[in-house]
Amino acid sequence: MLTEYIHAALARSDYKKLDDQTWFAEILGFDGVWANAATVEACRSELREVLEEWLILKLRDHDPIPTIEGMDLGIVESEAA
């Protein structure tokens, strides 16, 4: 499920070629998830890495994570029986 979630999130990426000829990308709805690199391929790779790290921190801290295409990665805590 995590791989599917990451793939769906990356499908929402917005790429722009900047005036300095580098590439910038961000994922709409994922504050702080962005990348900048010399090529679009390097930018895509960096963006994936940033997203993975962002998700790990969100899960660790029990912060909200956007639901994408019905996929919810939020942690559900239950009381022990």
Side-chain angles (χ1 to χ4, degrees), residues 24-81:
F24 174 83
E26 62 185 340
I27 303 174
L28 304 176
F30 289 73
D31 293 338
V33 178
W34 60 272
N36 181 252
T39 66
V40 71
E41 293 85 6
C43 189
R44 184 177 298 117
S45 178
E46 184 177 319
L47 185 63
R48 181 183 186 93
E49 186 175 322
V50 170
L51 174 61
E52 290 170 354
E53 292 170 0
W54 185 88
L55 286 169
I56 289 168
L57 292 173
K58 292 291 186 182
L59 289 168
R60 182 197 71 189
D61 296 341
H62 301 282
D63 289 339
I65 299 171
T67 299
I68 298 180
E69 297 178 12
M71 291 180 276
D72 183 3
L73 296 183
I75 296 174
V76 177
E77 293 188 29
S78 61
E79 293 184 28

Side-chain angles (χ1 to χ4, degrees), residues 1-26:
M1 179 174 181
L2 183 57
T3 301
E4 292 172 16
Y5 184 93
I6 290 170
H7 181 72
L10 289 172
R12 296 179 171 206
S13 302
D14 182 34
Y15 291 84
K16 297 176 186 141
K17 192 165 189 179
L18 303 178
D19 292 339
D20 66 359
Q21 302 306 304
T22 62
W23 286 88
F24 174 83
E26 62 185 340

